[in-house]
Amino acid sequence: MTASSLRHPCLRLAVAACFLIATAACAAPPRTAAPAADAGAIRLPSQGPLSFHPQRDELAWAQGREWFRLDLGSGRSERFQADADIADIAYADDGALWLAAGAPQRWLQGRRTCRGDGVDLSRAFGADRDGMRMASYGHDDAQGPIRHQYWFDPQCRMRRDSLAPLPAGVTDSAADPGEAHGAADARAAKLRNAAQPAADGTVAVSRDGRWRVIERGGERRLERVDPR
């Protein structure tokens, strides 16, 4: 074996390593970190989806094709870019954030882990034992508004779906609780933006009740709740 024959494998390994590093950098989603600030001073969009994290002091919200994550303890925020307009967001129990951005997208620790296809989603309700519940909507001349609900596994693959009219008394998708709405769903729904603010302006409350998002005068604000 000559010195030349030894050099060629080493060169190939070095090139392969550089290719892998470059590929990983290209695959990383666009993200921008902002300096730490007082969480209560963060400006929120006046409308659009938002949700508190089910286990951590964290708030996420979306506007257009961007979504944001705010650490409520440190005040540090990050901005991420999706590849389509985001209609709704919801956290799963494992902490993954799901985006209804046309197709379903699952993000974990700031990285997109999967993206589905073949659907045009506008709502994300949260997870149950069958998977993340999301829905698209249409209209039937005989039945009125129709919900097409899907359950997705952590790889963004559809496990099952159902097609049904909206429940009695529900006139639009924003107020739809989704199929299989129960006590656990009611608790999870408090973490996400309500279709209509409560009497005191509250639209979402953190898992421990120490933070809430209020809407007054057409503006939303993050507010820390004093312990009683």
Side-chain angles (χ1 to χ4, degrees), residues 45-225:
S46 59
Q47 58 184 354
L50 58 83
S51 181
F52 285 100
H53 195 286
Q55 284 96 28
R56 296 201 304 264
D57 291 338
E58 182 177 296
L59 175 68
W61 66 93
Q63 189 172 32
R65 295 191 173 196
E66 295 180 330
W67 70 271
F68 303 80
R69 181 173 64 186
L70 172 65
D71 185 315
L72 299 174
S74 68
R76 186 173 299 277
S77 63
E78 292 180 285
R79 177 170 57 90
F80 302 88
Q81 184 79 33
D83 56 6
D85 287 343
I86 303 167
D88 204 1
I89 64 175
Y91 277 106
D93 290 338
D94 62 1
L97 184 70
W98 286 75
L99 313 181
Q105 297 186 21
R106 179 182 183 269
W107 291 67
L108 186 63
Q109 297 178 347
R111 289 184 173 273
R112 192 180 73 186
T113 64
C114 64
R115 182 184 188 278
D117 54 22
V119 292
D120 186 14
L121 301 171
S122 55
R123 286 297 309 279
F125 301 116
D128 63 15
R129 63 184 181 181
D130 290 331
M132 174 56 67
R133 301 182 301 127
M134 309 180 90
S136 60
Y137 295 86
H139 190 276
D140 180 83
D141 290 339
Q143 302 182 77
I146 298 290
R147 176 212 307 128
H148 194 173
Q149 184 162 313
Y150 306 85
W151 285 258
F152 296 100
D153 70 12
Q155 286 73 48
C156 297
R157 297 175 301 205
M158 185 179 70
R159 282 180 171 159
R160 68 182 183 94
D161 68 325
S162 70
L163 190 66
L166 289 184
V170 177
T171 58
D172 59 47
S173 61
D176 180 25
E179 186 180 327
H181 184 64
D185 297 314
R187 288 192 296 271
K190 293 182 179 179
L191 299 172
R192 305 193 307 276
N193 56 289
Q196 294 292 332
D200 63 354
T202 300
V203 295
V205 181
S206 66
R207 60 187 175 86
D208 55 8
R210 292 189 298 120
W211 294 88
R212 66 174 182 164
V213 173
I214 60 172
E215 184 177 310
R216 291 179 185 145
E219 295 184 350
R220 284 179 176 176
R221 183 163 51 89
L222 179 63
E223 183 178 87
R224 185 164 189 143
V225 180

Side-chain angles (χ1 to χ4, degrees), residues 12-60:
R12 286 196 295 269
L13 287 173
V15 171
C18 290
F19 174 78
L20 288 174
I21 293 171
T23 302
C26 291
R31 61 192 293 174
T32 303
D38 179 9
I42 298 294
R43 294 190 62 183
L44 298 175
S46 59
Q47 58 184 354
L50 58 83
S51 181
F52 285 100
H53 195 286
Q55 284 96 28
R56 296 201 304 264
D57 291 338
E58 182 177 296
L59 175 68

